[in-house]
Amino acid sequence: MSSFAEKMIRWQESYGRHHLPWQNIRDPYVIWVSEVMLQQTQVTTVIPYYLRFLQRFPDLNSLASASLDEVLAQWSGLGYYSRGRNLHRTAQLIVRDHQGIFPEKVEVICQLPGVGRSTAAAIAVFAYGARCAILDGNVKRILARCFGIERYPGERKIEALLWQKAQELLPEQGEKDVNGGIEAYTQALMDLGATVCTRIKPKCAICPLQSDCTAFRNDAVGRLPAPKPRKPMPERETVLLMLMAQGKILLEKRPARGIWGGLWCLPEMPVSENAIEYCARHFGMEVQPLPPRIPSFVHIFTHFRLRIHPHPLQLNLSSSATTGDHIGVERMWTTLADALTVAIPAPVAKLLNMAVASRNA
Ligand code: SF4
């Protein structure tokens, strides 16, 4: 037996959980119900639901013949209701396709609705003593820390590596020198992940794996397992026109929907456009560029970054400072000081303040 498995089994004997209501039972039905309930919920929350559920649906046939409403009523408050729906559907499927007998092979169990590879392995271990590896979130955390796996465990390659590791670490087949074998080992992983190698503040001082733990040795416990990498935020670009005439600037009201909905804003122009042609086309105004005094800057929204290029322009004397007649767009000419008193988005306020500062400089 590998020393990893032996340490885990011995630890479980003394410090693991032995009196959970679904332990020391070989009935695959009740083990399946408990494993599904435990998928996203902690043990203490699950226990009363599990007991009530089994009282109402003591076996697979009673669950299969119940209505979905009855099943969901028993599930009410436990959350993630697709689990309850899947249990009901699976019970009916087992009655229909497997003569009401819960399948034994792990490859068949993991095909059942709502049962992934790790849950299927746990059912096979506890119901049939099968030598299968589990790899839920707790186990991924233990293995990532213990073996110093630096990359995010959800990455396909890393997950494959963790499955391989989990398989290699199993107690050796047929070896019975430590009580319980595969069941005690699997329970040990679950218990260690839930009570010692926890996500926050793991109790390394009392951990049976401490002497072998890479993360502990390298002071890396706090950063392993690596969190899910964030996708780089997409960046968009826009030009905000600072159209000046007789000491006033042109603002326009944004449509009610979309970013900055209903706020006063500087007119926006796509970066691909020529500002002089754009102003002639959209506002009927002749303009000339002013020296660019305000640098481009980035404003961060929840889902994207907006690179804003301010473009100062002066209305030609020959052109009149109209508000234009663009259908449905409200516009006004206002002083910079007054513009800062109306409802404007933060980056426009930032830009106008920079304009005021550069004018006073
Ligand atoms: S020593 Fe700490 S980090 Fe390492 S397995 Fe044990 S509890 Fe987890």
Side-chain angles (χ1 to χ4, degrees):
M1 181 177 296
S2 77
S3 69
F4 182 96
E6 188 170 346
K7 280 180 190 169
M8 291 296 285
I9 292 171
R10 293 209 184 281
W11 175 83
Q12 212 280 330
E13 263 179 353
S14 305
Y15 305 104
R17 299 175 289 192
H18 298 273
H19 303 292
L20 299 173
W22 46 84
Q23 283 180 311
N24 310 309
I25 296 172
R26 282 290 190 186
D27 182 347
Y29 169 72
V30 302
I31 292 166
W32 166 57
V33 170
S34 70
E35 288 300 330
V36 171
M37 285 188 170
L38 288 165
Q39 274 172 353
Q40 272 109 350
T41 314
Q42 291 194 336
V43 164
T44 45
T45 310
V46 163
I47 289 174
Y49 282 91
Y50 167 86
L51 294 173
R52 271 201 304 272
F53 196 91
L54 283 191
Q55 209 169 16
R56 172 64 190 84
F57 311 114
D59 53 33
L60 209 119
N61 279 319
S62 57
L63 178 59
S65 58
S67 71
L68 180 59
D69 279 351
E70 281 178 285
V71 176
L72 293 181
Q74 292 300 319
W75 205 271
S76 179
L78 197 54
Y80 299 99
Y81 289 86
S82 61
R83 295 183 296 175
R85 279 193 290 275
N86 278 334
L87 275 185
H88 184 237
R89 189 150 72 96
T90 303
Q92 293 181 330
L93 201 143
I94 294 174
V95 168
R96 194 190 68 198
D97 297 346
H98 301 271
Q99 295 79 48
I101 298 164
F102 202 94
E104 190 172 336
K105 285 195 164 38
V106 72
E107 302 79 26
V108 181
I109 302 173
C110 75
Q111 298 299 321
L112 299 172
V115 178
R117 183 172 166 187
S118 187
T119 301
I123 296 168
V125 166
F126 294 124
Y128 306 115
R131 190 173 174 273
C132 296
I134 61 161
L135 188 69
D136 61 9
N138 281 346
V139 181
K140 283 180 184 169
R141 184 169 58 249
I142 295 169
L143 298 186
R145 286 174 173 167
C146 204
F147 297 97
I149 294 167
E150 294 280 344
R151 301 216 333 240
Y152 171 57
E155 263 180 55
R156 195 187 292 252
K157 265 189 182 171
I158 302 301
E159 193 165 3
L161 179 82
L162 289 168
W163 272 113
Q164 191 189 333
K165 202 87 206 155
Q167 192 67 37
E168 286 166 9
L169 292 168
L170 291 177
E172 281 169 32
Q173 202 152 18
E175 194 122 20
K176 294 280 181 195
D177 58 335
V178 180
N179 288 340
I182 187 70
E183 295 91 333
Y185 172 75
T186 307
Q187 189 65 51
L189 282 173
M190 292 176 169
D191 293 352
L192 194 84
T195 62
V196 176
C197 194
T198 46
R199 197 168 62 83
I200 298 165
K201 293 189 185 164
K203 302 174 186 72
C204 301
I206 56 163
C207 177
L209 304 175
Q210 193 207 79
S211 58
D212 303 321
C213 180
T214 306
F216 181 77
R217 205 170 40 247
N218 298 341
D219 199 16
V221 176
R223 63 178 173 80
L224 293 182
K228 189 176 182 175
R230 288 186 172 206
K231 278 191 189 160
M233 251 198 202
E235 186 170 298
R236 299 181 197 161
E237 284 184 283
T238 193
V239 176
L240 290 185
L241 299 172
M242 304 179 72
L243 256 167
M244 304 298 298
Q246 294 152 18
K248 292 188 173 178
I249 192 163
L250 185 67
L251 294 185
E252 64 179 25
K253 205 171 215 180
R254 307 278 301 194
R257 286 169 180 240
I259 63 165
W260 303 329
L263 300 183
W264 286 98
C265 192
L266 295 167
E268 200 178 347
M269 182 188 84
V271 284
S272 56
E273 291 269 0
N274 173 293
I276 293 171
E277 289 169 13
Y278 187 87
C279 288
R281 206 165 60 244
H282 281 265
F283 311 119
M285 296 177 204
E286 286 177 29
V287 297
Q288 54 183 305
L290 287 169
R293 293 222 174 116
I294 303 169
S296 300
F297 64 96
V298 172
H299 181 74
I300 297 173
F301 289 89
T302 338
H303 299 302
F304 68 97
R305 294 154 54 90
L306 184 65
R307 184 169 291 279
I308 295 172
H309 304 286
H311 197 328
L313 296 150
Q314 175 71 52
L315 192 72
N316 283 349
L317 286 176
S318 57
S319 191
S320 63
T322 68
T323 51
D325 269 337
H326 237 56
I327 298 165
V329 181
E330 220 180 312
R331 297 197 174 106
M332 68 171 169
W333 289 96
T334 179
T335 62
L336 285 177
D338 285 347
L340 284 162
T341 65
V342 297
I344 50 174
V348 175
K350 176 177 171 173
L351 210 159
L352 294 179
N353 276 315
M354 287 195 281
V356 171
S358 79
R359 198 178 54 183
N360 296 338

